[in-house]
Amino acid sequence: MGQGLSGFLSYFGGGVSQAPSLDEDDKDIPEASRRYKTFRKHPELFDSRILDSWVAPELVEIVQACKAGFNCEPREICPHLREEVAGVYSFPCFTKEFISCFNEEIASFYASGIPARRPNSMNNYGVIVNEIGMRPMITEFQQKYIWPVAKVLFPKQASQFDDHHSFIVRYTASEDLGLDMHTDDSDVTFNVCLGHEFTGATLTFCGYMGAPDHRKASHVYAHEVGRAVLHLGSRRHGADDIASGTRMNLIVWSHNKAWRRVHRLRLSDDYEKEEGPPDPVCLSYTHDRDYLAYKKKPVGRAAGRNRAWCPPPGMEYEGFGDKDDDKDDAIL
Ligand SMILES: [Fe+2]
């Protein structure tokens, strides 16, 4: 199957690979942060504190409820916490004050002309906010607000958070339209919409990586400005194409190093045979061996399939044999 096996193995390092390694990240390369310091518009975004006026009161209530020690279904934790579908949750997150400050800061960074590495291998217009100096603020937000909620919803993956990869993504009709189906190199993903005005640009969820139904559609989430969605990194998802306007989101990939070590060792043994043909909406042009058996090559995607791995050998659904389009890779 061509390079499928190597793709399969690399997958366990993350469906969407990030540009720098976690341990290197901005700790070793603070150049953009140093250069940007004199351009800062809102210095408070670079401190290790979260202003009360930035956080939606509903999120404060959710965190309080989680800290109170819940022993019930997630949907019963707090009325402000919405279970979109099993394993995907959303909640009001930031106030207009924070969104305004943050967006001004990002606009200032773009205007500075300082080069920025892209957040991952599949996004061309984002910025790693850790690298421009926001790591302390994001860490504080992660520990104070994301973690208390995540450890109730995902006790194993969020038993502790000891690192994060944080970045913004931006989609417009003239830049990146959306993002192919993928999983994240995170244990828990926090994704909050910060604007601006847009239509389309929904977020489609499928199943968990390795599960028989991992390429079956499960939910379509419509972003709302100021609202966050929380899910496991192993959940297959994709950003649907934007129809008009600009969408910008802040994404925090939280990492639990101890859990990841165990998880990586066990995962390859746990991959299950796919239950049947995939739902077309869950197909990944980048990752799926049978993509071209169901859909045409996306416009503007001349490359990117050289590591298609899914489904892994031996785990194919019945009838997959004549669907494997690896041979077509040579002419892409
Ligand atoms: Fe993602």
Side-chain angles (χ1 to χ4, degrees):
M1 55 171 287
Q3 298 185 54
L5 180 59
S6 61
F8 170 64
L9 294 173
S10 69
Y11 175 78
F12 293 113
V16 176
S17 59
Q18 57 200 48
S21 75
L22 284 173
D23 292 332
E24 290 168 356
D25 213 356
D26 59 339
K27 297 167 188 167
D28 294 333
I29 310 173
E31 178 64 18
S33 177
R34 275 203 309 273
R35 291 181 60 185
Y36 183 62
K37 207 164 185 177
T38 57
F39 294 88
R40 291 177 181 176
K41 291 182 73 73
H42 298 282
E44 63 272 26
L45 290 171
F46 301 84
D47 291 338
S48 57
R49 62 189 176 128
I50 299 295
L51 302 184
D52 291 343
S53 58
W54 289 350
V55 181
E58 292 92 340
L59 178 53
V60 175
E61 283 188 42
I62 293 169
V63 170
Q64 288 172 344
C66 289
K67 285 182 174 177
F70 266 83
N71 189 20
C72 58
E73 290 297 310
R75 65 176 67 89
E76 298 170 358
I77 292 172
C78 178
H80 301 305
L81 181 65
R82 183 192 302 162
E83 184 178 48
E84 298 285 341
V85 67
V88 179
Y89 307 93
S90 74
F91 49 86
C93 184
F94 288 128
T95 63
K96 290 181 179 177
E97 177 184 323
F98 175 84
I99 293 169
S100 175
C101 288
F102 190 89
N103 288 351
E104 281 185 19
E105 197 65 60
I106 296 302
S108 174
F109 180 78
Y110 281 126
S112 74
I114 295 171
R117 289 190 296 170
R118 300 308 170 199
N120 58 56
S121 56
M122 295 170 68
N123 190 282
N124 297 311
Y125 296 93
V127 173
I128 303 171
V129 295
N130 288 351
E131 289 201 352
I132 67 173
M134 292 186 182
R135 177 184 277 276
M137 185 269 287
I138 299 290
T139 299
E140 182 71 4
F141 183 73
Q142 178 200 45
Q143 295 298 315
K144 201 171 176 182
Y145 293 97
I146 303 176
W147 183 49
V149 180
K151 71 178 179 180
V152 171
L153 300 176
F154 310 111
K156 295 177 184 173
Q157 295 86 348
S159 61
Q160 62 183 43
F161 283 161
D162 38 32
D163 203 352
H164 61 84
H165 178 62
S166 303
F167 52 94
I168 59 160
V169 292
R170 188 177 75 181
Y171 299 102
T172 74
S174 60
E175 300 176 343
D176 288 336
L177 292 175
L179 188 61
D180 197 10
M181 276 285 159
H182 64 281
T183 55
D184 295 335
D185 189 12
S186 72
D187 296 311
V188 176
T189 292
F190 163 92
N191 181 350
V192 61
C193 183
L194 299 178
H196 303 275
E197 293 185 357
F198 57 88
T199 57
T202 46
L203 185 60
T204 294
F205 288 92
C206 300
Y208 290 104
M209 191 270 291
D213 63 349
H214 81 282
R215 295 197 296 169
K216 293 293 185 182
S218 58
H219 186 63
V220 178
Y221 173 77
H223 287 287
E224 298 173 32
V225 177
R227 192 173 188 90
V229 61
L230 200 65
H231 60 87
L232 293 181
S234 59
R235 188 73 175 255
R236 180 175 273 226
H237 59 285
D240 304 320
D241 285 355
I242 195 165
S244 67
T246 299
R247 175 167 74 81
M248 195 173 86
N249 283 48
L250 168 65
I251 296 174
V252 178
W253 285 357
S254 287
H255 294 99
N256 177 346
K257 291 179 180 176
W259 190 86
R260 286 162 74 81
R261 277 195 293 273
V262 177
H263 182 69
R264 282 173 187 246
L265 290 175
R266 201 183 61 224
L267 194 54
S268 57
D269 297 330
D270 286 350
Y271 208 103
E272 297 177 77
K273 180 181 174 70
E274 198 161 16
E275 66 181 24
D279 287 337
V281 73
C282 293
L283 282 164
S284 166
Y285 177 72
T286 312
H287 300 298
D288 293 351
R289 294 160 55 198
D290 52 354
Y291 182 96
L292 295 174
Y294 297 98
K295 297 172 81 171
K296 293 182 179 176
K297 182 175 71 173
V299 175
R301 297 293 300 272
R305 276 181 53 78
N306 60 334
R307 294 169 69 182
W309 61 271
C310 183
M315 302 302 167
E316 300 94 341
Y317 51 87
E318 295 298 328
F320 175 84
D322 57 353
K323 301 292 186 186
D324 188 345
D325 51 35
D326 261 14
K327 293 183 179 64
D328 295 335
D329 287 353
I331 59 173
L332 292 178

